[in-house]
Amino acid sequence: RANPRSGVFATVAKCVGPNASLALIDLTVGGATNIGVSASECEVNGQRLRVTGNSMGISIEDGPLHLEDSLVSVTTAASCVSGARAAMTITGSTVSECKTVGINLSDGALTLTASMIAGNLRGGVDLENSDFTLTNNFVVDNGELGTIGWGGLSIHNDETHSPQVIEFNTIAANRIAGSLSAAANLSCNTLAPTTGHSNIVYKTFTENSQPNISLGNCSLQYSNIEGGASGTGNIDADPQFINPEAGVLGDYHLQQSSPSRDAAAPTASGVDVDFDGDERSQGGRSDMGADEILAL
């Protein structure tokens, strides 16, 4: 843990070079006036890592990042996780309450699974010209009215990328102002066509004048989308979140009576558990969104 003198720009952990690697296990990295964890070309592995209370959380260039069961939170000046030409794998982790966007990546690849992206001031996830696999995530309550930002999830690929996967995510209650993103919850514009399924994209705050979604060359199927969208199996119905309150303490799991229950893509395969590790499905078809309702 750093505690630098006033005016000194300090990075707590730094890794440079293709032959270097950094393993951060059961550690707290905090108090940096610059970057909590900085890496260029080298590999960073974090397990049960807490990076919190820094100017910027994690910055990765030209190398892989693996985060598992970790927390990146409460940055004071910049993003929680920022990458360029980086391969990021983030599993079972929380990225929250950051000064700008939660996860920002350009010219890289992001695999984001069973993670909570919540309460980040200028947006949840911003991807530009990157491969992506996004499964079983809650992207909720990001952005602030009057603050220019990216909303919940913003994807802009003007080059061909693969994979481009958006499945079983709950993207809800995000806000946006300005022109960085076209929609409050989901903006997806890719050169190669992208079809996502089994998502919930819902509950834009009523005072927000921006649209819920902007899909460009993307499409959704078997999803619950506020305001509706063309696509096989799509619905527009209150998902019945348990406690959809503003703030990171809101609970966007589903009530037993949710219309998203047993409504996911009938041929969905490869996603055998939900955000909480509960088995999919619970007797019928899987449920839309990150949460599979437990059978009573």
Side-chain angles (χ1 to χ4, degrees):
R1 180 179 290 271
N3 187 20
R5 291 175 298 171
S6 176
V8 177
F9 285 90
T11 296
V12 177
K14 187 171 184 178
C15 178
V16 178
N19 297 319
S21 63
L22 185 62
L24 302 170
I25 302 172
D26 294 317
L27 293 175
T28 295
V29 175
T33 53
N34 191 18
I35 305 170
V37 178
S38 175
S40 177
E41 297 187 87
C42 70
E43 180 175 356
V44 175
N45 290 282
Q47 296 181 31
R48 299 173 302 279
L49 172 67
R50 294 176 58 87
V51 182
T52 184
N54 304 286
S55 180
M56 176 187 290
I58 298 175
S59 177
I60 304 290
E61 294 185 356
D62 301 298
L65 168 69
H66 304 275
L67 285 182
E68 183 177 355
D69 298 328
S70 295
L71 170 70
V72 189
S73 183
V74 194
T75 58
T76 59
S79 302
C80 269
V81 182
S82 180
R85 303 168 303 280
M88 296 182 178
T89 301
I90 302 175
T91 304
S93 296
T94 295
V95 178
S96 66
E97 298 179 273
C98 297
K99 188 69 172 180
T100 61
V101 67
I103 300 173
N104 176 274
L105 177 64
S106 62
D107 302 302
L110 174 64
T111 300
L112 183 67
T113 306
S115 291
M116 175 70 71
I117 315 299
N120 300 291
L121 183 64
R122 296 187 66 188
V125 180
D126 173 43
L127 302 177
E128 182 174 357
N129 286 328
S130 296
D131 304 348
F132 56 88
T133 300
L134 312 174
T135 309
N136 273 340
N137 303 291
F138 284 100
V139 182
V140 297
D141 192 44
N142 297 285
E144 182 177 80
L145 289 178
T147 300
I148 297 173
W150 287 268
L153 172 60
S154 176
I155 300 168
H156 184 82
N157 284 348
D158 56 18
E159 303 168 353
T160 300
H161 285 271
S162 180
Q164 296 184 151
V165 175
I166 310 175
E167 300 176 0
F168 292 102
N169 301 285
T170 297
I171 307 168
N174 298 288
R175 306 171 180 87
I176 188 175
S179 59
L180 292 180
S181 183
N185 277 317
L186 173 62
S187 295
C188 183
N189 189 1
T190 58
L191 180 64
T194 299
T195 300
H197 68 76
S198 309
N199 300 285
I200 297 174
V201 189
Y202 219 84
K203 198 184 177 293
T204 306
F205 284 113
T206 55
E207 73 271 19
N208 191 343
S209 62
Q210 295 292 101
N212 178 42
I213 61 170
S214 175
L215 292 182
N217 204 23
C218 302
S219 61
L220 296 175
Q221 298 181 349
Y222 296 97
S223 295
N224 191 352
I225 304 166
E226 183 180 27
S230 60
T232 302
N234 287 338
I235 63 173
D236 176 7
D238 182 352
Q240 298 181 23
F241 298 127
I242 287 177
N243 184 31
E245 297 294 328
V248 296
L249 297 180
D251 187 348
Y252 292 87
H253 289 72
L254 300 175
Q255 299 180 41
Q256 289 284 329
S257 56
S258 171
S260 295
R261 186 172 192 167
D262 296 335
T267 58
S269 61
V271 183
D272 299 325
V273 297
D274 72 351
F275 172 89
D276 300 301
D278 297 325
E279 183 180 356
R280 289 190 188 270
S281 65
Q282 292 282 320
R285 272 165 50 184
S286 294
D287 303 338
M288 296 171 173
D291 176 38
E292 185 76 7
I293 301 169
L294 294 177
L296 296 178

